[in-house]
């Protein structure tokens, strides 16, 4: 099953449709949600190793899920205590009914009025598991008052005590849509969410507070939703190995280098020659049939010596960068090529700028823009909308900030909104690099990478990714599919190196060289 990533508004829309249009009762969904949290606790923190469970239940449906969880755990033999932080008459609907069931079963319930009362209860009860069912994905404003005091105490107490924290849907205080912290939030060991991942589970700092995340199915009829109500289904997909396998097309039958496609790369300058080399290496390792690397004439012998499998094109240069009169040479050389990659180590002088603008105005094939090309375009990024051919831009947060005239921290505070703004500004497919890289297109489709590898925070990694995207476009993938598949393959190669070489210290060229093994894995499982 495809795994979707849904904002709070998208989840509310899904919930309404499932309950009101399809007639699945909210009581059923709450029963399955709370039961799934209890099941996850039973599996990870089983009796008799864990016995005492304290459930913190908030005022809405998140609290109602906590009531159901408490009943299941109590029935399984745990010693259960439920804490309320508001009056019982605040509960309505299925949450109220599940609270009444707890009272009928005589499961202990305590109303907490102050921080001192809460601290005394925790120290007396000494829980081994604490269930955070205070607030879910609907939280929009920072925690305050008693709720904030309780969370701050728990964060401090967890440093001294060994109890586990399990959050229902999302840790209370984490913004479901951005991962930003709304006041304060507990550091969960496990978060059990329902039907869809939330952006706050994936984006920092929320990811650090979520711990292990389990997505529980509670009864959404996805087969029906995907077939008949696509406007209800979230447009953001989680780019896992399963999703990458769906994108990947194994080679079949008669194949030759022409069929595998021709990538033209315009990259590198004196002092930044490695960027051109790594881009070409990424393209070759991802299966491009032919690769031409164009750049300053003085670098051609360097490139030929490093990578004899590529073709090279030496261009006129001045002070280590190509000159303005390189444009016609490149345009002529682009005949028969399937995509143009431009930007890694390209240079920022008047020559590279003039050539970039000339190419954008005179080519008709897909263009991938990275690094220095994006820096040049940051003065007029909206010009990209003037060109009808497919465009892919691959900014990291700093480059995205320059394009949007923002601070880098603003990009990181809301990556999905930043992605949307970049798409609207440029009309391009955008690969916003970083932890859980985002890939989005003008049609609204978005992939969020499942991979977050800190060991890939090293120069040259983005150059390799750009080359991989070019290779997949040359092989016939749509630019959006090529970008998504490239992001997965690139990240998966880094994940393998982390497991086999160490947490960091592996290089961009090593990531490129392992790509065929990742492709083999995808092909084997597609067979």
């Amino acid at each position: 099953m495809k795994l979707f990533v849904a904002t709070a508004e998208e989840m509310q829309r899904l919930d309404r449709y499932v309950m009101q249009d399809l007639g699945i009762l909210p009581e059923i969904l709450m029963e399955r949600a709370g039961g799934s949290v209890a099941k996850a606790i039973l599996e990870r923190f089983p009796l008799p190793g864990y016995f005492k469970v304290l459930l913190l239940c908030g005022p809405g449906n998140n609290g109602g899920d906590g009531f159901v969880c408490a009943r299941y755990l109590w029935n399984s033999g745990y010693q259960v205590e439920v804490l309320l932080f508001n009056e019982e008459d605040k509960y309505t609907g299925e949450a109220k009914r599940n609270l009444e069931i707890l009272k009928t079963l005589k499961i202990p319930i305590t109303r907490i009025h102050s921080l001192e009362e809460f601290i005394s209860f925790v120290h007396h009860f000494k829980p081994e598991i604490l269930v955070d069912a205070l607030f879910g994905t609907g939280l929009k404003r920072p925690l305050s008052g008693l709720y904030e005091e309780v969370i701050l105490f728990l964060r401090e107490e967890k440093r001294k005590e060994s109890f586990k924290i399990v959050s229902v849907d999302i840790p209370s205080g984490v913004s479901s849509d951005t991962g930003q912290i709304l006041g304060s939030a507990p550091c969960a060991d496990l978060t059990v969410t329902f039907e869809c991942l939330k952006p706050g589970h994936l984006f920092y700092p929320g990811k650090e507070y979520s711990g292990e995340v389990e997505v529980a199915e509670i009864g959404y009829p996805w087969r029906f939703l995907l077939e008949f109500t696509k406007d209800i289904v979230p447009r953001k997909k989680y780019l896992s190995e399963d999703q990458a396998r769906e994108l990947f097309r194994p080679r079949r039958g008669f194949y030759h280098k022409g069929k595998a496609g021709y990538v033209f790369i315009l990259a590198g300058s004196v002092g930044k020659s490695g960027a051109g080399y790594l881009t070409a290496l990424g393209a070759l390792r991802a299966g491009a049939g032919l690769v031409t690397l164009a750049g300053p004439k003085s670098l051609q012998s360097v490139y030929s010596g490093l990578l004899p499998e590529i073709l090279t094109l030496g261009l006129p240069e001045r002070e280590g960068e190509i000159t303005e009169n390189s444009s016609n040479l490149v345009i002529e050389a682009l005949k028969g090529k399937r995509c143009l990659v431009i930007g890694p180590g390209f240079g920022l002088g008047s020559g590279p700028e003039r050539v970039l603008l000339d190419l954008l105005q005179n080519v008709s094939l897909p263009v991938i823009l990275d690094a220095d090309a994006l820096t040049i375009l940051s003065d007029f990024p909206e010009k990209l909308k003037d060109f009808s051919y497919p465009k892919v831009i691959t900014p990291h947060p700093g480059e995205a900030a320059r394009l949007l005239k923002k601070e880098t921290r603003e990009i990181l505070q809301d990556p999905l909104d930043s992605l949307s703004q970049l798409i609207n500004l440029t009309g391009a497919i955008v690969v916003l690099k970083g932890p859980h890289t985002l890939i989005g297109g003008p049609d609204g489709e978005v992939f969020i990478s499942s991979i977050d590898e800190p060991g890939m925070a090293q120069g040259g990694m983005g150059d390799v990714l750009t080359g991989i995207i070019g290779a997949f476009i040359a092989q016939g993938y749509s630019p959006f599919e090529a970008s998504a598949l490239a992001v997965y393959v690139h990240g998966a190669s880094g994940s393998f190196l982390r497991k086999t070489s160490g947490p960091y210290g592996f290089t961009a060229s090593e990531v490129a060289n392992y790509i065929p093994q990742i492709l083999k894995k995808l092909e084997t499982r597609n067979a």
Side-chain angles (χ1 to χ4, degrees), residues 274-305:
Y277 161 75
L278 289 168
T279 307
L281 181 63
L284 282 176
R285 287 299 192 180
L290 289 167
V291 175
T292 288
L293 176 55
K297 188 176 294 186
S298 63
L299 295 180
Q300 299 316 294
S301 61
V302 175
Y303 290 147
S304 298

Side-chain angles (χ1 to χ4, degrees), residues 320-383:
E321 297 179 348
I322 62 172
T323 62
E324 292 85 348
N325 56 356
S326 300
S327 299
N328 289 336
L329 294 171
V330 174
I331 291 169
E332 182 66 25
L334 283 173
K335 293 176 181 177
K337 312 304 185 291
R338 289 192 184 167
C339 77
L340 167 63
V341 175
I342 183 167
F346 186 46
L348 299 171
S350 59
E353 180 174 349
R354 182 68 261 160
V355 172
L356 173 61
L357 296 178
D358 287 344
L359 291 174
L360 291 176
Q361 292 167 5
N362 288 283
V363 302
S364 57
L365 74 174
V367 177
I368 306 163
L369 298 149
D370 185 27
D372 288 347
L374 297 178
T375 300
I376 293 170
L377 285 169
S378 62
D379 288 333
F380 37 82
E382 66 284 349
K383 278 190 174 292

